[in-house]
Amino acid sequence: MLDFINYPVSGVLWLWHTAFASIFGTTVGLAWVLAIVFLVMTLRALLLRPFIAQVRFQRGLATMQPHVQEIQRKYKGDRERQAAEIAKLQKEHGVNVLLGCLPIVAQSLVFIGLFHVLRSFQNADTANYVFAPAQVQSFLQTELFGAPLAATLGSAGDAFGSVALVAIPLMIIAAIATHFTARFSVARQRETATAAPNAEVNLMNNLSLWVFPVGVLVAGAVLPVAILLYFVTQNAWTFVQQHLVYRRLDAEAATVP
């Protein structure tokens, strides 16, 4: 059903693995590790402009909030008129809801696609999307510091010690990166807010600060090492990107009279 996502993700992963395998050799695990890392970098580079649009969207919402509250007060009980006035307000402020949601939706779809593709590396005699059987076998035999990329903590068996030595640090790094990424976002939200956050906002902030990082730790026990590597790369990119993009937008705002 999601082949429209699975095949492109598989194709990009294949391109990067083929490129690195031509440098390091097909039997060297570093080719697969770098292929996963560069898959993330490729996606995030393509989504850079939508991410900037998302930040502008969030700032636009903060600027609009007093006007939205006034519309809700003025047209209380008339939801149709409220929706029409808020849509008009969004247009005036250049707020595009679709662009604001695009990065999150795209990242979620790519994660689902990558998870499915990596989980489909099961039989060394069977092709997996654009990967030939020989490449499937290569992936299944690849290890990162002694831990198979396809292994999970829950299914490691006799290799539990080797997998744990790699998976647990990756889980911890991903959880810490998730926390600090959320922490930075919450801090920026509070800086730009024109009113005190409501109960729903506080709830979401607490979820992103504490529950989501814990969720990464819990989910890490059943995720392949390759997916944990994806998570670490994704969160590291997000953390750096946030700082660079916000710094750029702050500099732009400072030049506006």
Side-chain angles (χ1 to χ4, degrees):
M1 185 174 68
L2 290 177
D3 281 352
F4 73 98
I5 294 295
N6 298 335
Y7 273 101
V9 169
S10 179
V12 174
L13 186 63
W14 179 89
L15 286 172
W16 282 120
H17 176 257
T18 301
F20 288 118
S22 68
I23 299 172
F24 302 109
T26 57
T27 60
V28 178
L30 184 61
W32 280 107
V33 171
L34 290 176
I36 294 171
V37 170
F38 275 77
L39 169 68
V40 178
M41 295 173 65
T42 301
L43 165 71
R44 298 308 300 271
L46 292 173
L47 289 176
L48 181 58
R49 289 182 67 85
F51 175 79
I52 294 175
Q54 180 188 32
V55 175
R56 296 186 191 279
F57 168 76
Q58 292 170 342
R59 290 190 170 190
L61 288 181
T63 303
M64 287 167 45
Q65 193 58 33
H67 302 289
V68 171
Q69 292 174 347
E70 175 60 23
I71 289 173
Q72 291 172 338
R73 184 197 62 79
K74 184 176 180 180
Y75 301 106
K76 185 178 181 180
D78 189 348
R79 292 187 176 276
E80 186 175 342
R81 184 63 183 274
Q82 285 182 20
E85 292 296 325
I86 290 174
K88 180 179 177 182
L89 186 65
Q90 290 174 341
K91 185 176 181 179
E92 291 174 355
H93 284 78
V95 172
N96 190 317
V97 177
L98 180 61
L99 286 179
C101 298
L102 179 60
I104 296 175
V105 173
Q107 290 173 48
S108 299
L109 288 174
V110 169
F111 170 75
I112 293 171
L114 179 63
F115 182 78
H116 182 76
V117 169
L118 294 181
R119 292 282 289 182
S120 298
F121 282 103
Q122 294 181 356
N123 190 335
D125 298 323
T126 305
N128 180 27
Y129 290 98
V130 302
F131 291 99
Q135 291 172 306
V136 174
Q137 183 176 7
S138 171
F139 177 82
L140 293 175
Q141 295 175 345
T142 295
E143 296 181 347
L144 177 62
F145 302 116
L149 287 181
T152 69
L153 275 175
S155 63
D158 294 338
F160 181 83
S162 299
V163 175
L165 285 175
V166 175
I168 291 177
L170 289 176
M171 290 158 56
I172 293 173
I173 293 171
I176 291 174
T178 300
H179 170 77
F180 279 100
T181 298
R183 189 172 179 176
F184 181 81
S185 296
V186 171
R188 296 294 307 194
Q189 176 192 101
R190 289 170 178 168
E191 288 177 10
T192 57
T194 57
N198 55 35
E200 290 79 7
V201 172
N202 284 328
L203 175 61
M204 286 305 302
N205 287 345
N206 286 325
L207 286 174
S208 61
L209 283 169
W210 307 109
V211 177
F212 293 166
V214 171
V216 171
L217 289 175
V218 174
V222 296
L223 293 177
V225 172
I227 291 291
L228 294 177
L229 182 63
Y230 169 89
F231 262 132
V232 170
T233 308
Q234 171 93 337
N235 290 343
W237 178 287
T238 300
F239 184 76
V240 173
Q241 179 179 265
Q242 278 184 329
H243 285 76
L244 295 178
V245 168
Y246 278 106
R247 185 181 302 172
R248 171 186 167 182
L249 295 181
D250 286 344
E252 289 179 359
T255 62
V256 177

